[in-house]
Amino acid sequence: MSDMFDMSEADAANRLMRLAKEIAKHNRLYHTQDAPEISDADYDALVRENNALEAQFPHLIRADSPNKLVGAAPAGHLTKITHAKPMLSLDNAFADEDVVDFVGRVRRFLNLADDAEVVLTAEPKIDGLSCSLRYEGGTLVMAATRGDGQVGEDVTANVRTIADIPQQIAGNIPDVFEVRGEVYMSKSDFDAINARAEAEGTKLFANPRNAAAGSLRQKDAKITAARPLRFLAHGWGEATSLPGETQFDVIKTIESWGLPVDPRFVRLNATSQVLAHYRSIEALRADLPFDIDGVVYKVDRLDWQARLGFVAKAPRWAIAHKFPAERAETTLESIDIQVGRTGKLTPVGRLKPVTVGGVVVSNVTLHNRDEIARLGVRPGDRVVVQRAGDVIPQIVETLTRDAERDAWAFPDHCPECGSEAVAEEGEVDVRCTGGLICPAQRVERLKHFVSRAALDIEGLGERTIVEFFGLGWLHSPADIFRLRQRRAEIVGREGWQDKSVDNLLAAIETKRAPDPARLVFALGIRHVGAVTAKDLLKAFGTVERVREVATGDGAMEELTQVDGVGPVVAEALVEFFHEAHNQEVWNDLLSEVTPPAFVANVRESVVSGKTVVFTGSLETMSRDEAKAQAESLGAKTAGSVSAKTDLLVAGPGAGSKLKKAQELGIEVIDEAAWAQIVANAG
Ligand code: IVH
């Protein structure tokens, strides 16, 4: 950041544009997808860089400046709710001086003497997600997530399943009172949930915060009910009257109404007390039952809060004093290179295992060639590893600085197939040029082909792909559809029985007429994600037409006319379909599968986005017809009942699937009720 002061205006504008995009992306990953890719500390560093640049070049502040937004827009599937009062965010303090500055700013704003007493409340900053609970006449009538601060998501039904949150509050309650606080998951509940997910082979959550967010933002409140969520109140929104004149008194009153408040919520009157309190909470941190990432201070007097008001997204009367990320020293034992689906070489650091903030870390991502050069790290070096209470740990510093040894040379050949590995101009990533000759790329592409967002072939997981690939049974996706010729060979292998092989082959057969957009996505063309694939099908109707356009004259013009397709995507498509071996793979695949034309409008219904299982005999239709109906309503169908099942349609003679669904608390309906859902669909 030091060279920022030498920056030209053009560079600053460019950097601000990149920061806006980068920060927006991480906001989306964190708030909407519950899948952060960088640590909080790194996120904060981006925000600080942005703010420093904005301060230096105020005329360059962008319309989409990260400071004008709170969090990210709500995810699509829940009903949106406009908050009666916006749900704000907090500014951060990192060093003690930042807290002193904060108090100084408060004094100046209020025109107080330099030594005037400013009483603050202090409480842990809980690493959860904020939620607004609206009580009318003492009855809980609505609950919403923060969303982008203005518009959140309706999670009323989900919140009703949280035991900490009373449906009724008694006492002298204002007509309307919105309690605001944090929904979170305790560390021990998080560990238990992930242990279960691991045993069941389902997706693990990255951290308790993501587990809480993923659990709360469910369309089906039954799933939320099965997750151990907790709540702590730390504020309020709309209120027809306030039961006190200070932050402390109002929060204590909310507590007396039966809402949980953290026992470490205190009122302090001198900056020295505040800082001592911060140290004591920091010392307690590891032993607290839930993750916290700092201490929040708020000006206690509400009349002062009202005068101080807000700037952009955060109040002037509150600040979050963040804890530093947790760090530890260890040795980098080796650097391995992983080759991904698109040939990208990703360096992974193998560490002498070390405990960082209570978690044993033995691998770190080193991102790319530039990152290794930046750190100047080599195998054998002592390094500092940082874990910021979440996501992937990383190396932040190399301690060994002997000039004796050479820098580690990033490979210029693919470690898997020996092909040349190069970085395209202007790109940091080094890629293997072996394409489909490279076994690593081939196996990764096959894994992608069968993955959940692509063809989603039940029972054909990554392990099986690797196993069959190793046996030489799978070269390209079409081979998956020829596995039935190997039935006897598969049954002969350890871990496979007649039944499991039949289930697998049956699951493969169900994909002979795959969704065309999923099929295009499954090809793993660079830059063509699930949404782009859908855009292409929406525009061109069939997979064959997509290929025709991409190989025809004027491909670039025609492709870039599609909403959502820019030159980078168009070029990737043209390149893909021109490549001779891709053409072979494609033709071979189309000799096995017959994707139907794209159906633009899947009808909206109560089962859209859900997973439905049919069992027992159906009287008015075939099983296939029922499944097709479900799919036309935007639902997924599966052959067996699992924790992922949302609805079981059971006809007469239903047996084990029905029993399992009942055990898992999954909704079960009969054929007539199913017909009703189909009839009611929009
Ligand atoms: S007060 C207007 N207090 O941190 C003030 N927030 O980084 C709004 N958070 O959106 C927030 N613990 O989700 C407050 N004790 C606490 C908190 C807390 C966690 C979260 C909250 C907020 C975010 C801002």
Side-chain angles (χ1 to χ4, degrees):
M1 282 218 295
S2 54
D3 46 356
M4 189 185 292
F5 298 100
D6 308 327
M7 236 187 214
S8 73
E9 198 161 304
D11 286 347
N14 189 295
R15 185 67 193 144
L16 281 169
M17 177 192 73
R18 283 170 194 279
L19 283 164
K21 275 197 186 153
E22 183 81 8
I23 293 169
K25 174 179 128 187
H26 292 301
N27 277 340
R28 215 167 41 242
L29 287 165
Y30 187 89
H31 292 284
T32 312
Q33 293 166 19
D34 303 325
E37 277 176 5
I38 61 170
S39 68
D40 284 358
D42 283 350
Y43 174 84
D44 290 339
L46 290 175
V47 172
R48 264 180 289 168
E49 185 186 349
N50 182 78
N51 295 353
L53 269 176
E54 287 189 351
Q56 204 193 339
F57 300 97
H59 57 291
L60 297 181
I61 295 178
R62 301 169 57 82
D64 62 351
S65 158
N67 283 318
K68 300 197 175 151
L69 308 161
V70 179
H77 63 270
L78 294 162
T79 310
K80 308 220 179 351
I81 284 187
T82 302
H83 299 301
K85 288 230 165 132
M87 289 183 78
L88 289 137
S89 177
L90 290 168
D91 279 336
N92 291 326
F94 296 93
D96 289 359
E97 302 84 79
D98 298 342
V99 179
V100 174
D101 288 352
F102 163 71
V103 178
R105 279 197 303 275
V106 168
R107 285 200 184 101
R108 273 198 306 283
F109 193 92
L110 297 174
N111 214 5
L112 304 175
D114 286 350
D115 56 354
E117 194 174 296
V118 177
V119 178
L120 299 176
T121 62
E123 69 209 288
K125 183 165 192 299
I126 306 128
D127 209 2
L129 71 154
S130 47
C131 195
S132 186
L133 312 173
R134 187 178 175 90
Y135 289 90
E136 289 181 6
T139 303
L140 176 67
V141 293
M142 196 202 70
T145 63
R146 182 173 72 174
D148 64 7
Q150 303 290 336
V151 178
E153 297 160 327
D154 183 351
V155 287
T156 313
N158 314 57
V159 156
R160 289 196 195 284
T161 70
I162 300 176
D164 275 349
I165 297 178
Q167 307 286 318
Q168 285 289 335
I169 49 178
N172 192 8
I173 316 276
D175 293 343
V176 173
F177 197 94
E178 289 181 355
V179 177
R180 289 183 175 171
E182 215 69 8
V183 170
Y184 68 96
M185 191 179 281
S186 76
K187 294 182 204 167
S188 54
D189 285 333
F190 165 74
D191 289 341
I193 282 217
N194 258 4
R196 200 176 337 139
E198 189 152 25
E200 287 168 0
T202 52
K203 204 176 130 224
L204 301 188
F205 288 110
N207 52 47
R209 186 203 173 272
N210 295 118
S215 302
L216 183 66
R217 294 161 67 243
Q218 289 287 337
K219 220 172 170 183
D220 182 355
K222 276 206 223 76
I223 301 179
T224 313
R227 306 270 173 82
L229 293 179
R230 312 287 315 255
F231 180 80
L232 282 170
H234 55 56
W236 59 91
E238 191 181 13
T240 41
S241 63
L242 286 177
E245 292 179 355
T246 61
Q247 178 79 21
F248 191 81
D249 289 346
V250 175
I251 294 290
K252 282 293 178 189
T253 311
I254 292 175
E255 187 174 28
S256 76
W257 293 340
L259 284 136
V261 169
D262 188 81
R264 287 143 294 246
F265 173 65
V266 291
R267 178 153 55 181
L268 308 162
N269 51 29
T271 313
S272 59
Q273 256 185 7
V274 168
L275 296 177
H277 183 73
Y278 171 82
R279 305 267 174 267
S280 72
I281 298 284
E282 191 176 17
L284 274 178
R285 184 182 185 187
D287 299 321
L288 287 180
F290 46 82
D291 279 344
I292 63 171
D293 57 359
V295 179
V296 181
Y297 311 129
K298 296 170 189 163
V299 170
D300 193 38
R301 278 179 59 165
L302 298 184
D303 55 340
W304 283 2
Q305 286 191 7
R307 282 170 58 195
L308 284 157
F310 304 87
V311 247
K313 58 167 192 168
R316 285 198 193 84
W317 44 265
I319 198 155
H321 192 180
K322 301 287 274 283
F323 294 134
E326 291 167 283
R327 294 180 170 194
E329 245 183 79
T330 187
T331 304
L332 175 69
E333 296 192 319
S334 61
I335 300 177
D336 287 353
I337 296 285
Q338 282 173 357
V339 183
R341 174 165 63 84
T342 58
K344 181 177 158 192
L345 269 49
T346 303
V348 179
R350 309 289 180 201
L351 303 172
K352 186 161 186 294
V354 61
T355 306
V356 193
V359 172
V360 178
V361 175
S362 43
N363 300 313
V364 282
T365 170
L366 288 164
H367 302 290
N368 53 44
R369 192 172 58 176
D370 287 8
E371 175 73 356
I372 293 180
R374 190 182 69 78
L375 290 165
V377 74
R378 299 152 301 187
D381 282 348
R382 292 291 289 172
V383 292
V384 177
V385 178
Q386 169 173 298
R387 204 187 132 254
D390 57 1
V391 285
I392 322 155
Q394 44 187 230
I395 293 182
V396 285
E397 196 184 341
T398 309
L399 300 171
T400 327
R401 288 250 170 255
D402 55 321
E404 302 282 288
R405 286 182 302 143
D406 289 339
W408 187 74
F410 201 91
D412 51 11
H413 284 85
C414 171
E416 299 283 342
C417 72
S419 303
E420 237 188 303
V422 293
E424 275 168 38
E425 217 184 290
E427 285 213 9
V428 286
D429 292 331
V430 175
R431 285 174 200 279
C432 159
T433 54
L436 290 179
I437 300 161
C438 178
Q441 290 191 49
R442 271 167 41 207
V443 79
E444 290 305 317
R445 285 193 198 193
L446 286 163
K447 285 182 192 169
H448 171 75
F449 187 84
V450 301
S451 64
R452 242 176 117 77
L455 274 233
D456 192 19
I457 302 182
E458 229 187 310
L460 190 54
E462 294 199 352
R463 265 216 313 261
T464 309
I465 290 286
V466 172
E467 180 187 352
F468 292 177
F469 183 81
L471 291 164
W473 295 351
L474 298 178
H475 295 277
S476 83
D479 293 327
I480 293 168
F481 294 91
R482 291 190 279 261
L483 279 173
R484 57 183 177 189
Q485 294 155 19
R486 297 192 185 268
R487 188 182 178 284
E489 281 170 281
I490 307 176
V491 173
R493 294 191 56 81
E494 213 187 298
W496 290 97
Q497 290 95 34
D498 280 303
K499 179 119 183 70
S500 56
V501 177
D502 285 341
N503 286 344
L504 171 64
L505 295 176
I508 294 172
E509 288 313 304
T510 64
K511 303 293 157 145
R512 290 267 175 201
D515 175 86
R518 280 173 176 260
L519 190 70
V520 167
F521 171 62
L523 293 174
I525 303 167
R526 249 181 106 186
H527 306 300
V528 179
V531 175
T532 307
K534 211 170 203 165
D535 291 341
L536 288 166
L537 265 303
K538 243 186 236 162
F540 300 121
T542 64
V543 293
E544 258 313 273
R545 185 73 197 127
V546 174
R547 189 193 60 85
E548 260 171 44
V549 172
T551 50
D553 294 339
M556 287 299 287
E557 290 73 45
E558 222 176 319
L559 287 168
T560 48
Q561 267 164 31
V562 176
D563 253 358
V565 175
V568 175
V569 175
E571 200 168 314
L573 282 159
V574 171
E575 247 176 52
F576 181 90
F577 283 108
H578 267 100
E579 188 81 52
H581 52 216
N582 287 338
Q583 282 176 19
E584 267 167 47
V585 165
W586 183 234
N587 292 336
D588 193 18
L589 181 59
L590 288 189
S591 72
E592 295 292 341
V593 302
T594 322
F598 184 72
V599 186
N601 288 321
V602 170
R603 291 189 294 154
E604 268 303 308
S605 77
V606 288
V607 294
S608 299
K610 303 213 170 169
T611 300
V612 182
V613 174
F614 293 92
T615 188
S617 53
L618 299 174
E619 258 130 45
T620 62
M621 67 192 113
S622 70
R623 184 73 63 86
D624 281 346
E625 189 185 349
K627 282 190 178 172
Q629 280 181 346
E631 267 150 19
S632 78
L633 300 183
K636 276 192 284 196
T637 60
S640 62
V641 171
S642 73
K644 291 181 199 147
T645 310
D646 297 298
L647 180 68
L648 182 77
V649 183
S656 62
K657 286 182 198 168
L658 176 57
K659 195 160 158 264
K660 183 151 182 210
Q662 284 163 343
E663 278 164 15
L664 290 172
I666 289 163
E667 190 182 347
V668 179
I669 59 169
D670 63 11
E671 192 180 347
W674 173 253
Q676 202 55 54
I677 289 177
V678 176
N680 289 344

